[in-house]
Amino acid sequence: MNIGFIGLGIMGTPMAANLVRAGHTVVGYDVSEQRLDELVSHGGKAAGSLAEAVAQAHIVITMLPDSPQVEEVVFGSAGLLEYGAPGLLHIDMSTIRPETSRRVAQAATVKGIRAIDAPVSGGERGAVDGTLSIMVGGRAEDVESAREVLGVLGTTIVHVGPSGAGQTVKAANQLVVGGIYGLVAEAIVLLEASGVDPAAGLDVLAGGLAGSRILELKRHSMIKREFAPGFRIDLHDKDMGIIIAAAREAGVALPLTGVVAQLIAAARAQGHGSLDHSALLKVIERINA
Amino acid sequence: MNIGFIGLGIMGTPMAANLVRAGHTVVGYDVSEQRLDELVSHGGKAAGSLAEAVAQAHIVITMLPDSPQVEEVVFGSAGLLEYGAPGLLHIDMSTIRPETSRRVAQAATVKGIRAIDAPVSGGERGAVDGTLSIMVGGRAEDVESAREVLGVLGTTIVHVGPSGAGQTVKAANQLVVGGIYGLVAEAIVLLEASGVDPAAGLDVLAGGLAGSRILELKRHSMIKREFAPGFRIDLHDKDMGIIIAAAREAGVALPLTGVVAQLIAAARAQGHGSLDHSALLKVIERINA
Amino acid sequence: MNIGFIGLGIMGTPMAANLVRAGHTVVGYDVSEQRLDELVSHGGKAAGSLAEAVAQAHIVITMLPDSPQVEEVVFGSAGLLEYGAPGLLHIDMSTIRPETSRRVAQAATVKGIRAIDAPVSGGERGAVDGTLSIMVGGRAEDVESAREVLGVLGTTIVHVGPSGAGQTVKAANQLVVGGIYGLVAEAIVLLEASGVDPAAGLDVLAGGLAGSRILELKRHSMIKREFAPGFRIDLHDKDMGIIIAAAREAGVALPLTGVVAQLIAAARAQGHGSLDHSALLKVIERINA
Amino acid sequence: MNIGFIGLGIMGTPMAANLVRAGHTVVGYDVSEQRLDELVSHGGKAAGSLAEAVAQAHIVITMLPDSPQVEEVVFGSAGLLEYGAPGLLHIDMSTIRPETSRRVAQAATVKGIRAIDAPVSGGERGAVDGTLSIMVGGRAEDVESAREVLGVLGTTIVHVGPSGAGQTVKAANQLVVGGIYGLVAEAIVLLEASGVDPAAGLDVLAGGLAGSRILELKRHSMIKREFAPGFRIDLHDKDMGIIIAAAREAGVALPLTGVVAQLIAAARAQGHGSLDHSALLKVIERINA
């Protein structure tokens, strides 16, 4: 299959490499020459322009930082809607606003292009290993056409609803993840300020109804204040912006999420943008010292 | 061993029955005659007064609703400090304020009584099955003396620190549990308002970094709005009061917990006090309709 | 002076009429024919297109609902930057994102157009009476050129800083206004639930350190649950979106504002969008019943 | 009139001195000898015990730090209920929990003693000048009997409802005051981070719907970071504890207040307990740096 791959960052490059390894012809495009060279070193081809990456493709995958970049690639004058062949399948794996995904899908349909949103979780590790979780929104038949390719990139592929639904589920995921970090941070601060060994305390929590994947994976590093990423605060802050926008579009108020968003914004304001999102603990500590 | 057991409610009665079954002589006391009769039907003995339950005991277990009841049993003129024999081991398994546990332990020491705090999680099911998780605060040697008896009541027994530490860990536990319910509730409301099937969405969340015991056990009932308890909102609201007091005593600010406490208070204000704590979802729904 | 006036809504029409009354030639434009007719009835002229309203103007005033409309009028192919004469002064009196105002000003400068942001407070009453408060951002000399015209529309005209500063001050204003409504609502709910006459209670508050313009003007109507606008919840909800965006652009976390924004979103979700913003009281009531 | 005055702190001493000056016989009691000497220097008499201050009094005024001290003075074995003569009028001017005031009044009634709650606002300045605002809860006839004496201490005396109502209104007052400080702090941080002169910005806010006594009196000192008290963070933190307790007793959830309470707790945790409550600004700054 000819696959155009737009956006060769920390996630995109290993994903594109996995597609090459699975036997696909991958033509990549990125604003960075260096990243294109890396794709070539993995056996992919480098396009000289967005149009070139799109023109011969059966499938175009986009893995971009945020909504404006996706809008530019799709709606821009040198973009996907302009150069994509009718019948093309566009899989956007970026994490962006659900409303943008819906607009992309609508505009694509007009051009005879099929578009689905397929944001992921699982991080760099999952991208390298091909073990991402993929939340897919779109028409059932389009999702089916994408399954083979998505199966190269991830192990869990769930069709959660129509266009934008993948993004909404990703938003819900990030809302819960950010919130649990905040709660665990408050638990640690309470335990320590009360003179209780946080490791012993969190061991108990991890084994009961308070248990969570985050407590399981991150409690020891949080207690030791080890915050090497992982998933960066900057990115989680961007995601909180998406969540707040998604709630506004859906017309719902989310009071806890409103506070979590401000705490993550505070982590960034305090200069922790490049730390792991578990560094939310530093915000709860700083508010107390 | 002669065990006095004070407080024969939903939790206390099956716990006392388990102790009888393990071969201990259990003398119970409760303000309700009916509950005393039930203990007798399990093979225990009914004391006519608090003093009587305490006087011959090697160990006194208290399982009471809140701090004031524990204070009355311990400090009251007909109470444990007055009638307990020197050398007595007092195990308070109620969920109360850490500061009350510390005062109880100090006053007990003066009288030659050993006191530890040992609140539990695991609910009525865990009390009946003898599979509670028990968080213990106190001197190491006193905790050791209690292990045999605690081993009848629970499967996880962790000594987390000095007097009050058991209560602090329980507070941290309830803080995280209440908060996760709030986050899951907001995720459900966001998904539903966006036209996404919440079951499919939460399935994805449950399998990734957003995963938690609560998502695992409660997502289906929450989506169906089945809120039979389980652990009642009223009790979680009481526990939030303890958490806020514990934070105040420790001199720490917990911003997320401050909001969670008000949302649980709202559940009670809306008349959901006797529903399961997962009914926090009703608060997030109502704020949106 | 030839003044183009774009956006003849509840605010724009009386403002344009005041400019006519002060002797200016006002050429209005709006998507609604009916509103154009109303301007003509006040002595203004109706433009057949945006370009026509802009082309002969010395000053163009825009009074539009939100950032996208301002962007379209300014950057659109039939818009202000395309048709405005060099030397034109553009006064944007809409409430929009500070960052949009900065982009408008930069792009205008390139075309030789001078642009300032001048959002207002004071509502429909102030628009009709010409007693608005006007917060102005831009270069000092441009603000000076605008003073005569702004003096027709308002009584308080304050130059608060460079481009976007007017919008930032308006954002700060709305943040405080929304928050005080929330606080007064919580005070009323606490008083009533405690069996205290809220009128007597708020009278005391109004006379002391808790006193505010809102308590002075709105306490009686709030206690009577009279919520005829005034300034609509829908608009305040839009403004909260601007505030959250402005905080994000400035890189600051605002925890209280994060909660206030969700409460106002809740008012809208509950269907109170067309009530006065003091109807935030209905949200605090509903969370308790 | 013979007046017993219990609690001669920063507020109590000038209040007692004003009563002496108005011609009353004031017998004071305090745990501090030095404070008693100061009362004597103002023309009052020093009691050697609580009982002595109470025994001959027609009116006993208490001005104490918190609920436990009031409970001890009233219910203690050497206290007011034990030694007060039938017909005595007890005016508690401390800021305490409404529920404590109701219990005091009930117990007093049994002993033939009349008790009202009369907390104040206006601070040390108001105590010295006799210009306090006094919020009174109790039976109308008892409030009437107190008016002459209260008129010496304050200029605004409002009977707001039955026993405890004075405390509830004081709680509502402190809730609004603490919240407005938080909002103004967030406005300042937003303005400064956006490069807008906060003095110019707040001047505009002060003149419109966002205006408040706090903006009027404190905006200049807040912008200059001058936080000499005034009313100390420690005391406002204590008051937030009372408010949260009062809301719990009234069965209401107050989401904004829940956050404000945590922010004021943070101010204390950060070591600002002895600064003016406007130092809440330091918390909003610190969360952003």
Side-chain angles (χ1 to χ4, degrees):
Chain A
M1 192 103 65
N2 287 340
I3 300 176
F5 203 110
I6 318 297
L8 297 164
I10 290 175
M11 297 293 287
T13 294
M15 290 164 71
N18 281 336
L19 291 168
V20 171
R21 206 165 297 129
H24 296 290
T25 302
V26 177
V27 183
Y29 181 69
D30 195 287
V31 288
S32 149
E33 289 273 341
Q34 191 188 330
R35 288 169 172 184
L36 284 171
D37 292 347
E38 198 184 337
L39 176 64
V40 171
S41 78
H42 287 293
K45 298 181 180 177
S49 69
L50 177 54
E52 195 186 321
V54 166
Q56 308 296 326
H58 303 113
I59 290 181
V60 170
I61 294 176
T62 43
M63 191 62 181
L64 295 160
D66 205 348
S67 304
Q69 290 82 13
V70 172
E71 293 189 49
E72 198 190 319
V73 163
V74 172
F75 299 113
S77 58
L80 201 144
L81 295 186
E82 200 60 31
Y83 287 88
L88 171 67
L89 177 65
H90 171 217
I91 308 175
D92 180 27
M93 305 188 76
S94 323
T95 293
I96 63 170
R97 292 166 55 156
E99 190 267 343
T100 306
S101 291
R102 282 190 291 268
R103 278 194 294 117
V104 164
Q106 280 175 344
T109 299
V110 172
K111 295 274 188 174
I113 293 173
R114 300 168 296 149
I116 64 177
D117 49 298
V120 307
S121 73
E124 192 182 351
R125 189 75 265 144
V128 170
D129 296 346
T131 57
L132 294 166
S133 286
I134 310 179
M135 298 146 248
V136 196
R139 274 185 301 263
E141 60 270 29
D142 298 339
V143 176
E144 282 318 300
S145 324
R147 277 208 185 265
E148 190 202 330
V149 159
L150 293 179
V152 173
L153 303 174
T155 39
T156 308
I157 297 132
V158 189
H159 181 203
V160 291
S163 285
Q167 299 297 351
T168 302
V169 172
K170 179 72 189 286
N173 189 78
Q174 295 302 78
L175 168 176
V176 171
V177 167
I180 293 181
Y181 276 122
L183 295 167
V184 170
E186 297 198 357
I188 291 174
V189 165
L190 176 61
L191 290 168
E192 292 183 347
S194 307
V196 179
D197 174 21
L202 292 192
D203 281 356
V204 178
L205 267 62
L209 190 57
S212 64
R213 198 66 40 88
I214 283 172
L215 263 184
E216 190 186 322
L217 299 176
K218 298 288 192 83
R219 70 182 188 273
H220 299 299
S221 57
M222 287 177 79
I223 289 169
K224 287 187 222 152
R225 273 65 176 172
E226 292 172 357
F227 299 122
F231 187 77
R232 298 205 333 269
I233 284 283
D234 274 348
L235 290 172
H236 211 125
D237 184 54
K238 182 211 88 171
D239 289 355
M240 293 312 295
I242 290 170
I243 297 163
I244 295 291
R248 176 167 284 273
E249 284 150 19
V252 290
L254 305 176
L256 266 182
T257 302
V259 181
V260 173
Q262 295 304 317
L263 294 175
I264 294 180
R268 199 177 182 184
Q270 292 174 16
H272 308 316
S274 59
L275 298 185
D276 186 68
H277 45 173
S278 56
L280 199 49
L281 174 55
K282 292 177 86 79
V283 173
I284 305 299
E285 278 191 298
R286 191 163 181 80
I287 213 175
N288 280 295
Chain B
M1 193 102 68
N2 287 342
I3 301 176
F5 203 110
I6 318 297
L8 297 165
I10 290 175
M11 297 292 288
T13 293
M15 289 163 72
N18 281 336
L19 291 168
V20 170
R21 207 165 298 129
H24 297 289
T25 303
V26 177
V27 182
Y29 181 69
D30 196 286
V31 288
S32 148
E33 288 272 343
Q34 191 187 332
R35 288 168 171 184
L36 284 171
D37 292 348
E38 198 184 337
L39 176 63
V40 171
S41 79
H42 287 294
K45 297 181 181 178
S49 69
L50 178 53
E52 195 185 322
V54 166
Q56 307 297 324
H58 303 112
I59 290 181
V60 169
I61 295 176
T62 43
M63 192 62 182
L64 296 160
D66 205 348
S67 304
Q69 291 81 14
V70 172
E71 293 190 48
E72 199 190 318
V73 163
V74 172
F75 300 114
S77 58
L80 201 144
L81 295 187
E82 201 58 32
Y83 287 89
L88 172 67
L89 177 64
H90 171 216
I91 309 175
D92 180 27
M93 304 189 77
S94 323
T95 293
I96 63 170
R97 293 166 56 157
E99 190 266 343
T100 306
S101 291
R102 282 190 291 268
R103 277 196 293 119
V104 164
Q106 280 174 344
T109 298
V110 172
K111 294 273 187 175
I113 293 174
R114 299 168 298 150
I116 64 178
D117 50 297
V120 307
S121 73
E124 191 183 352
R125 189 74 266 142
V128 170
D129 296 347
T131 57
L132 294 166
S133 287
I134 311 180
M135 297 146 249
V136 195
R139 275 186 300 263
E141 61 269 29
D142 299 339
V143 175
E144 283 318 301
S145 324
R147 276 207 188 266
E148 189 202 331
V149 158
L150 293 178
V152 173
L153 304 173
T155 40
T156 308
I157 296 133
V158 189
H159 181 203
V160 291
S163 285
Q167 300 298 350
T168 302
V169 172
K170 180 72 189 287
N173 189 78
Q174 295 302 79
L175 170 174
V176 171
V177 167
I180 294 181
Y181 276 124
L183 295 167
V184 170
E186 297 198 358
I188 291 174
V189 164
L190 175 61
L191 291 168
E192 292 182 347
S194 307
V196 179
D197 174 20
L202 293 193
D203 281 356
V204 178
L205 268 60
L209 190 57
S212 63
R213 198 67 39 88
I214 284 171
L215 263 184
E216 190 187 322
L217 299 176
K218 298 289 193 82
R219 70 182 188 271
H220 299 300
S221 58
M222 286 177 79
I223 290 169
K224 287 186 221 152
R225 273 65 176 173
E226 292 172 357
F227 300 121
F231 187 77
R232 298 203 333 268
I233 284 283
D234 274 346
L235 289 172
H236 211 125
D237 184 54
K238 182 212 89 173
D239 289 355
M240 294 312 294
I242 290 170
I243 297 162
I244 295 291
R248 175 168 285 274
E249 282 150 20
V252 289
L254 306 176
L256 267 183
T257 302
V259 180
V260 173
Q262 294 305 316
L263 294 175
I264 295 180
R268 198 176 183 185
Q270 291 174 17
H272 308 317
S274 60
L275 298 184
D276 186 69
H277 46 174
S278 56
L280 200 48
L281 174 56
K282 293 177 84 80
V283 173
I284 305 300
E285 278 191 298
R286 190 163 181 81
I287 213 174
N288 281 295
Chain C
M1 192 103 69
N2 287 341
I3 300 176
F5 203 110
I6 318 297
L8 297 164
I10 291 175
M11 297 291 288
T13 293
M15 289 163 72
N18 281 335
L19 291 167
V20 171
R21 208 165 297 129
H24 297 289
T25 302
V26 178
V27 182
Y29 181 69
D30 194 287
V31 289
S32 149
E33 288 273 342
Q34 192 189 330
R35 287 168 172 185
L36 285 170
D37 292 348
E38 197 184 338
L39 175 64
V40 170
S41 79
H42 287 294
K45 298 180 180 178
S49 69
L50 177 54
E52 195 184 323
V54 166
Q56 308 297 324
H58 302 112
I59 289 180
V60 169
I61 294 176
T62 44
M63 191 62 180
L64 295 160
D66 204 348
S67 303
Q69 290 82 13
V70 171
E71 294 190 47
E72 199 190 319
V73 163
V74 172
F75 300 113
S77 59
L80 199 143
L81 295 187
E82 202 59 33
Y83 288 88
L88 171 67
L89 176 65
H90 171 217
I91 308 174
D92 180 27
M93 305 188 76
S94 322
T95 293
I96 63 170
R97 293 166 56 157
E99 190 266 342
T100 306
S101 290
R102 284 190 290 268
R103 278 195 293 117
V104 163
Q106 280 176 345
T109 298
V110 172
K111 294 275 186 173
I113 292 173
R114 300 169 295 150
I116 64 177
D117 49 298
V120 306
S121 74
E124 192 182 353
R125 187 77 265 140
V128 170
D129 296 345
T131 57
L132 295 165
S133 286
I134 311 180
M135 297 145 249
V136 195
R139 274 185 300 264
E141 60 269 30
D142 298 339
V143 176
E144 284 317 302
S145 325
R147 278 209 185 265
E148 187 202 331
V149 159
L150 293 178
V152 174
L153 303 173
T155 40
T156 308
I157 296 133
V158 188
H159 180 203
V160 290
S163 285
Q167 299 298 351
T168 302
V169 172
K170 179 71 189 285
N173 189 77
Q174 295 302 79
L175 170 175
V176 171
V177 167
I180 293 181
Y181 276 123
L183 295 168
V184 170
E186 296 198 359
I188 291 174
V189 164
L190 175 61
L191 291 167
E192 292 183 348
S194 307
V196 178
D197 174 22
L202 293 192
D203 281 356
V204 177
L205 268 62
L209 190 57
S212 63
R213 198 67 40 87
I214 284 171
L215 264 184
E216 186 187 324
L217 298 176
K218 298 289 193 81
R219 71 182 189 271
H220 299 300
S221 57
M222 287 177 79
I223 289 170
K224 288 187 220 150
R225 273 66 175 172
E226 292 172 356
F227 299 122
F231 188 76
R232 298 203 334 267
I233 284 283
D234 274 347
L235 290 172
H236 211 126
D237 184 54
K238 183 212 87 171
D239 289 356
M240 293 311 295
I242 290 171
I243 296 163
I244 295 291
R248 177 167 284 274
E249 284 150 18
V252 290
L254 305 176
L256 266 183
T257 303
V259 181
V260 173
Q262 295 304 317
L263 294 175
I264 295 180
R268 198 176 182 184
Q270 291 174 17
H272 308 317
S274 59
L275 298 185
D276 186 68
H277 46 174
S278 56
L280 200 48
L281 174 55
K282 290 177 87 79
V283 174
I284 304 300
E285 278 190 296
R286 190 163 181 80
I287 213 174
N288 280 297
Chain D
M1 191 105 65
N2 286 341
I3 300 177
F5 203 109
I6 319 296
L8 297 165
I10 291 175
M11 297 291 288
T13 294
M15 290 163 72
N18 281 335
L19 291 168
V20 171
R21 206 165 298 127
H24 296 290
T25 302
V26 178
V27 182
Y29 181 69
D30 195 286
V31 288
S32 148
E33 288 274 342
Q34 192 188 330
R35 287 168 173 182
L36 284 171
D37 292 347
E38 197 184 339
L39 176 63
V40 170
S41 79
H42 287 294
K45 298 181 180 179
S49 69
L50 178 55
E52 194 185 323
V54 167
Q56 308 297 325
H58 302 112
I59 289 181
V60 169
I61 294 177
T62 43
M63 191 61 180
L64 295 159
D66 205 347
S67 303
Q69 290 82 13
V70 171
E71 293 189 48
E72 199 190 319
V73 162
V74 172
F75 298 114
S77 59
L80 200 143
L81 295 187
E82 202 59 33
Y83 287 88
L88 171 68
L89 177 65
H90 171 216
I91 308 175
D92 180 29
M93 305 188 77
S94 323
T95 293
I96 63 170
R97 292 167 55 159
E99 190 266 343
T100 306
S101 291
R102 283 189 290 269
R103 277 195 293 116
V104 163
Q106 279 174 347
T109 299
V110 172
K111 295 274 187 173
I113 293 174
R114 300 168 296 150
I116 65 178
D117 50 298
V120 306
S121 73
E124 193 183 350
R125 188 76 266 140
V128 170
D129 296 346
T131 57
L132 295 165
S133 286
I134 310 179
M135 298 145 249
V136 195
R139 275 186 300 265
E141 60 269 30
D142 298 339
V143 176
E144 284 318 302
S145 326
R147 277 205 187 267
E148 189 202 331
V149 158
L150 293 178
V152 173
L153 304 173
T155 39
T156 309
I157 296 134
V158 188
H159 181 204
V160 290
S163 284
Q167 300 297 352
T168 302
V169 172
K170 180 71 189 287
N173 189 79
Q174 295 302 78
L175 170 175
V176 171
V177 167
I180 293 181
Y181 276 122
L183 295 168
V184 170
E186 297 198 358
I188 291 174
V189 165
L190 176 61
L191 291 168
E192 292 182 347
S194 306
V196 179
D197 174 21
L202 293 193
D203 280 356
V204 178
L205 268 62
L209 191 56
S212 63
R213 198 67 39 89
I214 283 171
L215 264 183
E216 188 187 324
L217 299 176
K218 298 287 193 84
R219 71 181 188 273
H220 299 299
S221 57
M222 287 177 79
I223 290 170
K224 288 187 222 152
R225 272 66 175 172
E226 292 172 357
F227 299 122
F231 187 76
R232 298 204 333 269
I233 284 283
D234 274 346
L235 290 172
H236 211 125
D237 184 54
K238 183 211 86 171
D239 289 356
M240 293 311 295
I242 290 171
I243 296 163
I244 295 291
R248 177 167 283 273
E249 284 150 19
V252 290
L254 305 177
L256 267 183
T257 301
V259 181
V260 173
Q262 295 304 316
L263 294 175
I264 294 180
R268 198 177 181 184
Q270 291 174 17
H272 308 317
S274 59
L275 298 184
D276 187 68
H277 47 173
S278 56
L280 200 48
L281 174 56
K282 291 177 86 80
V283 173
I284 304 301
E285 278 190 297
R286 189 162 181 81
I287 213 175
N288 280 295

